[in-house]
Amino acid sequence: MPTDNRLIPNALAAQTAQLPASWQAALRAPRVAEALQAVTAHVERRLAEGAVVYPATPLRALQGLEPSDVRVVILGQDPYHGPGQAQGLAFSVPDDCKRPPSLRNIFNEIAQEYPGTPLPAGNDLSPWAEQGVLLLNTALTVEDGQPASHAKRGWETVTDALIALVAQDPSPKVFMLWGAHAQAKQALLPHDSGHLVLMANHPSPLSARRPPVPFLGCGHFLATNRWLVDQGKNPIDWKLDKKIIPVQGEFGL
């Protein structure tokens, strides 16, 4: 039975108020606060009209994580728009949910970069978030069965401010920018920040194998850990759990 991942009325404002102080400060900037107010009003209006909105926790990627704690940033575009899918973490779905094709390609890439690493049985990327991986979508809500339905409603102004806040933190970080949408956010990164920026196509089956930089074979996960170690930081343990399934011989879609 799918997890109930529907957003309930007034939950968005309550979750915003519970964020760490550093995020809240960024959200209080006038232009950002105006955008957040507008998108919150739109979400509440659609809920009142009977729309089903996902996920239940739109701001989960920020919970318990200060900007200074972030070591890696992975940007998504839009939450999954089906029942039981979206969790508030980009690319992540619950363990009992069917694995989306993009996530399958992400896991296959990790298995290729780390020979002998089996594909995980689960799909929940919370263990990455707990290690300082910010899994942030650029729009944080979506309506059932309608991808990008809450795009251009104000979320992008909000999440741009959050990305910029992370990029301004003096501790060097890795930004994995997959696809043109994520790569456009490179403009938010200071030129002299010392961050590592890795770019490739999106892991979607529509683009994962295509030029100019195919996602499959990009080497981003290994490159990230080597760079983190060079910076005196702990590498990310990309494994999710101890339950395993056999590694497929070829990249799946």
Side-chain angles (χ1 to χ4, degrees):
M1 186 148 186
T3 303
D4 188 352
N5 62 326
R6 294 171 294 179
L7 185 65
I8 62 174
N10 304 314
L12 185 53
Q15 290 173 33
T16 302
Q18 295 171 358
L19 290 177
S22 51
W23 300 119
Q24 290 206 44
L27 297 178
R28 284 195 295 268
R31 181 170 173 267
V32 182
E34 182 180 356
L36 181 58
Q37 183 178 20
V39 73
T40 299
H42 175 71
V43 169
E44 295 297 336
R45 182 168 59 252
R46 292 297 296 136
L47 288 170
E49 292 168 352
V52 175
V53 177
Y54 306 125
T57 53
L59 298 164
R60 183 179 170 189
L62 308 177
Q63 293 173 356
L65 188 66
E66 297 282 356
S68 58
D69 296 328
V70 176
R71 295 192 285 153
V72 180
V73 178
I74 297 178
L75 296 177
Q77 185 168 351
D78 205 33
Y80 296 115
H81 54 269
Q85 292 182 308
Q87 296 181 294
L89 301 174
F91 296 104
S92 179
V93 297
D95 288 340
D96 60 356
C97 189
K98 182 178 179 181
R99 182 168 297 169
S102 292
L103 184 58
R104 188 184 312 140
N105 278 337
I106 289 170
F107 288 161
N108 280 328
E109 175 60 24
I110 293 170
Q112 289 293 316
E113 293 183 32
Y114 290 89
T117 299
L119 297 178
N123 303 312
D124 186 342
L125 302 183
S126 296
W128 293 5
E130 292 164 3
Q131 298 176 75
V133 181
L134 179 63
L135 297 160
L136 185 69
N137 283 313
T138 56
L140 299 184
T141 54
V142 70
E143 294 183 22
D144 180 57
Q146 300 182 53
S149 49
H150 288 185
K152 304 187 187 311
R153 292 284 183 178
W155 277 131
E156 292 81 1
T157 299
V158 173
T159 53
D160 279 1
L162 300 174
I163 295 166
L165 178 63
V166 172
Q168 290 161 10
D169 184 79
S171 178
K173 309 176 192 306
V174 181
F175 285 79
M176 294 187 182
L177 305 181
W178 302 332
H181 182 83
Q183 288 163 16
K185 305 303 180 182
Q186 188 178 13
L188 300 171
L189 312 184
H191 294 298
D192 57 351
S193 64
H195 301 314
L196 176 64
V197 179
L198 301 173
M199 294 193 287
N201 285 5
H202 194 277
S204 163
L206 297 175
S207 58
R209 297 177 182 272
R210 294 181 177 177
V213 184
F215 175 80
L216 296 174
C218 68
H220 283 186
F221 299 95
L222 185 57
T224 290
N225 277 347
R226 286 174 172 167
W227 185 85
L228 288 172
V229 170
D230 287 344
Q231 301 297 313
K233 300 175 180 289
N234 291 327
I236 303 296
D237 183 357
W238 299 112
K239 299 188 297 296
L240 297 181
D241 54 34
K242 296 181 180 179
K243 298 177 293 183
I244 61 174
I245 58 176
V247 177
Q248 299 172 359
E250 297 181 353
F251 289 120
L253 297 178

